[in-house]
Amino acid sequence: MSNETAHIDQFLLIHSARADNWRAVTTLADAWALGRGERAAMETALAGLEAVEEYHAYPGTQLLTALRERIATNDAGGAAKLARRISNSLLTRAYRGRPAEWDVHDEMSPTEVADVMPPATGETGGRRPYFEALFVNSQPSARWPAFAREIGRLRRPEDPFIYEPVIVGSFEDAICATLLNPDIISVVLAEGFPYHSRHDAPVLRSVLDPLGETDSADMSALRLARALRRVRPELDVYLLSDRQVEKIAGDPTADAIRRVFYAVEEPLEMHLAILEGVQTRYETPFFDNLKKYARRPIGTFHALPIARGKSVFKSDWIRDMGEFYGLNLFLAESSATTGGLDSLLEPTGNIKRSQDMAARAFGADHVFFVTNGTSTSNKMAVQALLAPGDIAVVDRNCHKSHHYGMVLTGAQPYYVEAFPMTAYSMYGAVPLATIKRALLALRAEGRLDRLKLLDLTNCTFDGHMYNVRRVMEECLAIKHDLIFLWDEAWSGFARFSPFLRPRTAMGAAAEIEEWLRDPASVDAYEKQQADLGDTPSDEALLTTRLIPDPRLVRLRVYQTNSTHKSMSAIRQGSMLLVKDVDFHTVEAQFHEAVFTHASTSPNQQLIASLDVARRQMELEGYGLVMNAIEIALKIRRAINEHPLISKYFRALGAADMIPEEYRQSGFTDYLAPGSTWATAVKAMQEDEFYLDPTRITVVCGTAGFDGTQFKGLLANEYGIQLNKTSRNSVLLQSNINNTRSDVAHLVRVLVEICHGIEKRLSDGGEGERATFAARVKSLMTDVPDLPNFSQFHEIFRGDAGRTTPEGDIRAAFFNAYDPSLCEYVPLIGDECDRRLREGPEMVSANFVIPYPPGFPIMVPGQVLTQETIDFMRKLDVKEIHGYEKARGLKLVKPEAVTAKAKR
């Protein structure tokens, strides 16, 4: 496996590598046909593909056999023609809707063009959705083609979908096929298959070994079903058995099986079950109902004139809006919640069903659709889970919605700090030791009972993902009923990647649930307790990987997703996911939070897009996320390995973004020498922090651009949009929408920019080079230290503990509503410097949030320090929320502080 092996071993590039490898085969075939190459090179390249091609339905046995025969008979022209046909069909996906593509004797005419364009407005495209079903059996491979033909004969014109079988004969091949072929969304298992593959290919070991699926002692279909659902939980798995199916169906471990069939019964039932399983995921209750509603004649006498579109299309002045958006947008609008529609505030019909289906897809017990963005989701969760006087341990750098949620509820935030990345003017994530230290400090103060919530961002804007399971388990070992709120606004897609799912709140919660049910968990806990002794020191607890008591744990996990940020939802579409054994105790509060924050006129199209986004991710999310990862890795490689681009720009790797102490596996970067799928999996399983590969921090300060300036250049001059910057970097995000054409465009733009820099430095002489060097030094070396949270002033500490830093942020926030209690002090000037030296202390009256970096460097009631003022003065960003340059810093007046302190 020459060059292909490197791609396969990395695994994360396997899907794009397949297309590239077929293009390579085509190039070799063309060269052979023209007399410029050798048959042996063509044979070697094809042999390198065969182990992987068995895991895909197309090109299939017939076309591969024909290609081998043409090579064997020295038919170079025929081999080149067939190789090109296969490669083009894979590229255009023509085989999905054109049955002739599967027939070696029926080729596309020279005048025919593959249907690669999206359907016109109002059309459905006319093509039934295509998928592949994996059949795992013990029949000899010589019988597989006949078996595939039998399956094909079960198709009927009225079937809503069309599928092709992929047939394998072992446990290993089943796992590999499921991982390497994202088109597989249904699996049929027949008992009696062996463990080992009939192939001896490196691809098997490179994919399987890192997953730990190497125990060949248990080859049962139930074990395989559990393994398949572990890597891809969205799969439908069916079991065919010729023994006691009733007993198998009742097995407690059979929960991974959708349905059990007696093997000798009518195969049509199996075919219909496969289609029904896909239909269950394909259904979108709200969107389906909205389409029906739009087709009905409706008389509207409610307060939404735009509904049905008459006011638009009958107008001479705004008809262009209707022509731009299309009639269906207006036909599907309504402010009614009756007549077949449903209420988002109190759903009982199709919205409720859609939310239940989303809960199934995302591994939650409950899901709330939110149409005001994840800012609202966060405030809903905080309001429902916290009451005045409760304490929440909060990442100080989390999104402002969490801070404002604390203001609304009156809860007391106990701010914990993330590790700094000073060189890039950004923060990482909060170390576990910092979190544990906060919990132990509260326990020492006798205030642990008031701690209700741990509130963290995962993954961060810049891609830091926590070891979520470890964080929750160790915190539960200190406080067994602690509630967790994970803001996963940027990583909702991670659910559909076996590579990233364990680092999500719902993925980790499922693993903890399984561990809690295992009798061995009690033994593990009791052994650790014996090792620690009756009164372990805080130092021992900080340095030990703590195990919670499974008999006491109350698993209460909440996760917010900006569905619109990583899935096909309209802007502001969000979901709030719940897995809480005590949800019944806060359910009424949650409904109150919904009533508080949700609009009484939610956008119907937003709700529909959330419904559709769930459908897409259940049916093709695995492949889409893998593509996003591949795109990101190609961007990283294109930037860091290009001889010109890499002179001025650099994509940061894990070693740049995460300090070594938090990378216990030693992982440095996805594209570092020696990095493989195995090393990436090891890092994902072991490291305290892990870098989401789809988030690419590109240093632009070395090219003389600050982040805001470079962002503007890309948008205004080249039509490339991004939104997050730092002092000397920009963040590129790959998502399920990106293609390799996007990568090519980005590379060409960066090359053009680099040529411009080279020309300017060459033409400008020594003076220009000195100016450029000074600019780079200013951006890359003369960076301000990042300020940590100082403290709440004593007047806003409320009843906080003696040694713990929580404060009454609500009182500080509303204190500023009285203008007579506030003053403004210029940021630049003698007064600010004098107050820092001599006092009285400067106390912030409001939030101050610079963009970038986007975290609050001042919160209401915070005592300002030299560190914070220095950072503010060195900021060169235009947008600072809560700061008026003309007036200065908004502070609580010293006399107001004194008066409040005396009360």
Side-chain angles (χ1 to χ4, degrees):
M1 281 201 172
S2 62
N3 186 49
E4 289 78 9
T5 302
H7 289 296
I8 289 169
D9 286 345
Q10 290 180 36
F11 178 72
L12 295 174
L13 293 169
I14 187 64
H15 299 106
S16 62
R18 183 181 181 227
D20 289 344
N21 291 339
W22 271 106
R23 298 307 297 177
V25 167
T26 302
T27 300
L28 291 170
D30 287 341
W32 179 35
L34 294 172
R36 301 172 186 164
E38 298 181 357
R39 166 179 154 178
M42 171 77 170
E43 289 177 323
T44 300
L46 185 61
L49 287 173
E50 288 181 339
V52 173
E53 287 308 311
E54 184 173 293
Y55 305 138
H56 298 267
Y58 185 86
T61 303
Q62 183 182 15
L63 292 179
L64 283 176
T65 299
L67 182 57
R68 293 190 203 97
E69 288 175 350
R70 293 181 186 185
I71 295 172
T73 58
N74 283 317
D75 181 3
K81 190 175 181 180
L82 182 54
R84 189 180 310 109
R85 173 184 162 189
I86 293 171
S87 179
N88 288 341
S89 188
L90 289 171
L91 188 65
T92 62
R93 294 154 61 109
Y95 65 91
R96 292 169 175 252
R98 189 175 183 276
E101 280 299 309
W102 301 77
D103 186 350
V104 70
H105 303 296
D106 189 352
E107 300 185 23
M108 185 179 290
S109 71
T111 59
E112 188 178 355
V113 178
D115 181 15
V116 296
M117 295 296 293
T121 302
E123 297 179 3
T124 62
R127 182 192 298 178
R128 288 181 287 177
Y130 169 95
F131 68 95
E132 295 179 7
L134 178 68
F135 289 81
V136 187
N137 62 40
S138 56
Q139 298 182 23
S141 58
R143 298 178 60 184
W144 292 356
F147 180 62
R149 289 192 294 272
E150 289 295 318
I151 294 171
R153 278 195 282 270
L154 296 172
R155 292 179 184 161
R156 303 172 305 151
E158 59 267 35
D159 289 344
F161 316 107
I162 187 168
Y163 70 90
E164 291 287 342
V166 175
I167 305 171
V168 298
S170 73
F171 185 107
E172 290 185 331
D173 286 318
I175 295 288
C176 278
T178 305
L179 285 169
L180 301 181
N181 184 355
D183 290 330
I184 292 173
I185 60 175
S186 298
V187 182
V188 180
L189 309 178
E191 294 184 307
F193 50 82
Y195 179 83
H196 293 291
S197 171
R198 63 197 180 103
H199 298 291
D200 182 19
V203 62
L204 297 179
R205 298 278 63 80
S206 65
V207 172
L208 290 170
D209 291 351
L211 297 176
E213 295 291 348
T214 56
D215 179 14
S216 59
D218 180 4
M219 296 181 294
S220 70
L222 288 179
R223 182 204 163 190
L224 176 56
R226 292 193 299 273
L228 293 175
R229 290 295 298 273
R230 188 157 48 247
V231 294
R232 290 186 56 186
E234 76 278 8
L235 293 174
D236 286 330
V237 182
Y238 303 90
L239 176 62
L240 298 178
S241 178
D242 57 2
R243 55 191 181 92
Q244 295 177 315
V245 292
E246 302 85 359
K247 183 176 180 181
I248 295 173
D251 192 310
T253 64
D255 55 352
I257 303 290
R258 180 179 174 88
R259 188 170 173 185
V260 180
F261 286 91
Y262 190 53
V264 298
E265 291 180 342
E266 175 56 55
L268 179 60
E269 291 299 318
M270 172 58 67
H271 171 74
L272 295 176
I274 290 172
L275 296 177
E276 181 188 50
V278 175
Q279 181 65 52
T280 300
R281 286 175 280 168
Y282 186 81
E283 181 187 5
T284 45
F286 182 78
F287 180 52
D288 294 343
N289 187 67
L290 195 62
K291 288 187 291 183
K292 292 178 184 176
Y293 174 84
R295 291 194 290 266
R296 293 172 54 199
I298 303 291
T300 59
F301 294 92
H302 52 63
L304 193 65
I306 207 170
R308 316 306 291 177
K310 298 171 190 174
S311 67
V312 175
F313 289 98
K314 288 181 178 293
S315 170
D316 290 333
W317 303 100
I318 64 170
R319 187 185 300 121
D320 58 332
M321 182 176 77
E323 293 168 350
F324 180 77
Y325 283 109
L327 180 60
N328 280 338
L329 175 70
F330 305 96
L331 292 177
E333 273 291 8
S334 176
S335 65
T337 57
T338 56
L341 298 175
D342 198 5
S343 167
L344 183 63
L345 294 179
E346 289 193 288
T348 57
N350 46 72
I351 293 179
K352 178 66 167 63
R353 288 186 58 218
S354 295
Q355 291 184 155
D356 289 344
M357 293 173 73
R360 176 196 69 202
F362 287 90
D365 296 333
H366 310 278
V367 162
F368 293 89
F369 286 173
V370 180
T371 60
N372 309 71
T374 301
S375 296
T376 298
S377 296
N378 291 331
K379 284 181 281 190
M380 284 179 178
V382 170
Q383 176 177 323
L385 298 171
L386 295 175
D390 287 344
I391 297 173
V393 172
V394 187
D395 178 1
R396 196 264 308 204
N397 307 298
C398 64
H399 188 266
K400 63 181 182 179
S401 56
H402 298 270
H403 301 273
Y404 282 112
M406 304 291 165
V407 169
L408 293 173
T409 63
Q412 297 181 8
Y414 183 134
Y415 287 127
V416 287
E417 295 289 349
F419 65 80
M421 295 183 289
T422 306
Y424 308 111
S425 294
M426 63 178 74
Y427 281 94
V430 183
L432 177 56
T434 301
I435 297 169
K436 290 168 66 176
R437 194 172 286 112
L439 270 61
L440 293 172
L442 287 167
R443 186 172 74 174
E445 286 275 358
R447 297 167 61 78
L448 194 61
D449 61 309
R450 292 190 39 189
L451 172 64
K452 297 297 174 63
L453 182 71
L454 174 64
D455 189 348
L456 298 172
T457 304
N458 181 57
C459 69
T460 66
F461 214 146
D462 304 291
H464 301 94
M465 302 185 81
Y466 285 83
N467 190 329
V468 179
R469 177 176 178 177
R470 180 175 178 182
V471 169
M472 293 199 291
E473 286 184 337
E474 294 214 44
C475 288
L476 289 169
I478 300 172
K479 181 175 174 59
H480 70 269
D481 59 351
L482 184 63
I483 307 172
F484 301 90
L485 173 57
W486 297 94
D487 182 346
E488 300 192 3
W490 298 98
S491 58
F493 68 95
R495 166 73 185 176
F496 300 93
S497 166
F499 182 58
L500 300 176
R501 187 183 311 110
R503 293 266 168 171
T504 68
M506 292 299 121
E511 292 182 350
I512 294 175
E513 271 188 329
E514 185 176 353
W515 178 81
L516 292 173
R517 292 192 295 264
D518 187 346
S521 62
V522 175
D523 296 335
Y525 167 75
E526 292 184 338
K527 181 181 184 305
Q528 182 173 91
Q529 290 302 108
D531 293 340
L532 287 171
D534 294 335
T535 56
S537 66
D538 282 1
E539 187 60 32
L541 295 175
L542 285 170
T543 56
T544 301
R545 194 191 194 291
L546 299 179
I547 299 173
D549 186 343
R551 296 160 296 192
L552 297 179
V553 165
R554 308 300 296 171
L555 189 60
R556 311 188 65 186
V557 185
Y558 293 78
Q559 173 184 329
T560 56
N561 284 353
S562 283
T563 316
H564 70 100
K565 284 186 170 73
S566 63
M567 291 169 264
S568 299
I570 296 173
R571 188 175 178 87
Q572 291 198 25
S574 175
M575 294 185 192
L576 174 54
L577 282 56
V578 180
K579 184 178 278 293
D580 180 357
V581 295
D582 293 325
F583 182 67
H584 60 281
T585 66
V586 295
E587 187 170 8
Q589 296 155 218
F590 250 95
H591 289 303
E592 290 294 340
V594 171
F595 297 153
T596 302
H597 295 283
S599 169
T600 54
S601 302
N603 185 286
Q604 307 276 44
Q605 320 316 320
L606 268 173
I607 302 171
S609 74
L610 290 170
D611 204 7
V612 171
R614 186 275 313 156
R615 176 213 281 177
Q616 180 181 42
M617 297 309 287
E618 271 202 295
L619 292 169
E620 58 179 341
Y622 173 72
L624 292 173
V625 175
M626 285 300 298
N627 178 71
I629 293 174
E630 290 176 353
I631 292 292
L633 296 182
K634 290 183 182 300
I635 292 173
R636 290 175 182 275
R637 175 169 284 153
I639 292 173
N640 289 347
E641 296 183 4
H642 192 283
L644 178 59
I645 296 175
S646 60
K647 284 179 64 176
Y648 299 102
F649 298 95
R650 183 166 66 96
L652 300 181
D656 302 297
M657 301 289 287
I658 303 172
E660 186 176 5
E661 62 193 285
Y662 305 124
R663 291 180 286 107
Q664 290 84 349
S665 71
F667 184 74
T668 57
D669 189 34
Y670 297 100
L671 300 179
S675 286
T676 65
W677 163 238
T679 59
V681 169
K682 181 178 174 65
M684 184 272 292
Q685 293 173 339
E686 297 179 5
D687 290 355
E688 182 167 346
F689 298 114
Y690 186 73
L691 190 63
D692 172 7
T694 69
R695 311 185 71 74
I696 312 146
T697 297
V698 177
V699 175
C700 57
T702 43
F705 299 106
D706 64 58
T708 303
Q709 180 186 13
F710 190 57
K711 169 186 171 181
L713 174 67
L714 291 176
N716 298 329
E717 300 295 328
Y718 299 102
I720 294 177
Q721 297 180 341
L722 50 90
N723 59 3
K724 198 270 183 184
T725 66
S726 80
R727 178 181 177 85
N728 51 28
S729 71
V730 297
L731 179 71
L732 304 179
Q733 300 168 238
S734 65
N735 56 52
I736 65 172
N737 183 62
N738 287 126
T739 65
R740 294 175 71 179
S741 296
D742 295 331
V743 180
H745 177 49
L746 175 65
V747 171
R748 285 305 313 154
V749 165
L750 292 177
V751 168
E752 184 175 329
I753 291 171
C754 290
H755 278 308
I757 296 171
E758 297 261 284
K759 183 175 184 350
R760 190 171 71 250
L761 294 177
S762 175
D763 295 349
E766 189 59 37
E768 180 65 32
R769 288 191 287 274
T771 300
F772 179 79
R775 174 65 172 163
V776 171
K777 181 176 183 295
S778 170
L779 292 170
M780 299 301 301
T781 304
D782 301 335
V783 294
D785 288 333
L786 293 172
N788 287 335
F789 177 76
S790 54
Q791 66 192 56
F792 286 106
H793 193 280
E794 283 302 319
I795 65 171
F796 297 119
R797 291 263 289 147
D799 62 348
R802 292 176 295 104
T803 61
T804 52
E806 66 273 18
D808 187 351
I809 196 171
R810 178 184 175 88
F813 181 87
F814 285 107
N815 183 79
Y817 274 38
D818 184 347
S820 69
L821 301 179
C822 300
E823 65 175 349
Y824 289 88
V825 172
L827 177 64
I828 307 296
D830 294 339
E831 175 64 11
C832 186
D833 292 333
R834 185 190 66 78
R835 293 275 294 270
L836 286 172
R837 288 193 313 270
E838 304 171 8
E841 290 178 317
M842 294 189 290
V843 180
S844 180
N846 63 346
F847 287 104
V848 176
I849 307 174
Y851 279 83
F855 57 83
I857 60 173
M858 301 178 194
V859 303
Q862 177 182 345
V863 176
L864 303 188
T865 62
Q866 186 75 55
E867 182 185 34
T868 304
I869 297 300
D870 287 346
F871 183 80
M872 277 284 290
R873 287 173 173 174
K874 290 184 179 181
L875 280 174
D876 54 3
V877 300
K878 297 178 180 178
E879 187 177 352
I880 304 179
H881 298 180
Y883 172 69
E884 299 178 62
K885 186 175 181 180
R887 304 180 74 182
L889 302 168
K890 187 177 183 180
L891 307 174
V892 182
K893 285 182 177 179
E895 54 267 32
V897 172
T898 301
K900 192 173 180 65
K902 290 179 178 179
R903 289 204 298 267

